[in-house]
Amino acid sequence: MDYQKLSKELSYALRHAPHEYELELDEQGWVPIKQLLLSLHEQRKWRAVTEEDLHTMIALSEKKRHEINQGKIRALYGHSVPQKIQKEEKEPPAFLFHGTPQRFLDSILTSGLVPKGRQYVHLSEDVQTAQQVGKRRDDHPVLLRIDARQAWQDGVKFYHGNELVWLADHVKKEYISVY
Ligand code: HQG
């Protein structure tokens, strides 16, 4: 079983295209595992996937992208579906980080961080994670530091993605500095 491929397929299904899999996400993005497996089994390459494989996939992944609870599975972040996924509001650490290509810097320092194609802006708990996020699109990404405590005190909402990923609706430029 190629667990990395399975993880990519699930991210696509659970973040972006549940209807292609005849799935409906609930308010927090959960779907019943039984329904997901039925849908995956229609594809030849996934016809033997079991619930245990889903657990193994999560355990082997270098990032915690998916979560299983009480017979359901969901993507923890990254959604682009039209229906807004409700995330748990949480007090952030003092600082959060965001890695981005050099070419986006001017625009970000003008308009702040906006969600673009996803439902939320994605922020990293640590510099190393932000660096990895930025490197997806630029070998020498810019690292931004977000004054999350100040923003939180000013009433900006932050939401929990996983241990390393935080979400926000929009981060204004006054909370952003180049790190
Ligand atoms: C940029 C992956 C211009 C923003 C990652 C980013 C993450 C602006 C891009 C997760 C802007 C959106 C999300 C503005 C934001 N002007 N550009 N005002 N505001 N941007 O992919 O954070 O591996 O939607 O800097 O690791 O890169 O898939 O967001 O470069 O955790 O699990 O617009 O996806 O996780 O790109 O990545 P994305 P992201 P997985």
Side-chain angles (χ1 to χ4, degrees):
M1 178 81 49
D2 185 335
Y3 289 108
Q4 202 177 343
K5 261 204 179 134
L6 180 60
S7 175
K8 285 196 171 158
E9 179 115 16
L10 287 202
S11 289
Y12 176 67
L14 299 175
R15 291 174 177 180
H16 309 299
H19 289 296
E20 280 183 37
Y21 296 77
E22 290 172 70
L23 296 172
E24 206 169 313
L25 308 188
D26 77 6
E27 284 188 348
Q28 282 95 35
W30 295 103
V31 299
I33 288 176
K34 281 208 174 84
Q35 279 175 25
L36 173 69
L37 289 176
L38 275 177
S39 175
L40 286 175
H41 291 164
E42 285 174 18
Q43 290 188 61
R44 178 182 260 271
K45 65 173 177 288
W46 302 128
R47 65 169 186 254
V49 175
T50 62
E51 180 161 351
E52 194 169 337
D53 286 322
L54 301 178
H55 285 279
T56 307
M57 173 201 82
I58 290 171
L60 291 179
S61 175
E62 85 286 9
K63 279 168 139 183
K64 195 166 183 231
R65 296 182 171 95
H66 307 102
E67 178 180 39
I68 287 176
N69 190 21
Q70 297 190 335
K72 293 181 176 175
I73 185 166
R74 68 173 174 179
L76 285 165
Y77 58 87
H79 299 86
S80 72
V81 287
Q83 157 211 359
K84 182 95 181 207
I85 302 300
Q86 302 303 319
K87 299 302 296 181
E88 181 201 344
E89 233 182 287
K90 213 173 159 188
E91 180 173 354
F95 295 106
L96 287 168
F97 300 89
H98 181 88
T100 191
Q102 295 275 351
R103 63 183 182 278
F104 295 164
L105 184 60
D106 285 350
S107 168
I108 291 172
L109 293 179
T110 306
S111 328
L113 283 166
V114 298
K116 294 278 170 167
R118 303 190 200 255
Q119 296 190 353
Y120 296 93
V121 170
H122 287 59
L123 304 167
S124 303
E125 172 126 0
D126 63 313
V127 174
Q128 198 202 340
T129 304
Q131 184 84 21
Q132 283 165 4
V133 174
K135 281 203 169 186
R136 286 153 54 240
R137 298 195 179 101
D138 187 336
D139 288 343
H140 302 284
V142 186
L143 288 186
L144 303 174
R145 193 179 78 166
I146 316 305
D147 192 347
R149 178 157 297 154
Q150 187 60 56
W152 169 263
Q153 284 168 358
D154 293 346
V156 176
K157 291 177 182 166
F158 290 84
Y159 312 89
H160 185 71
N162 68 20
E163 298 74 30
L164 296 173
V165 177
W166 286 78
L167 306 171
D169 300 303
H170 172 213
V171 180
K172 287 191 187 161
K173 63 179 174 188
E174 60 245 46
Y175 303 115
I176 301 173
S177 50
V178 175
Y179 185 62

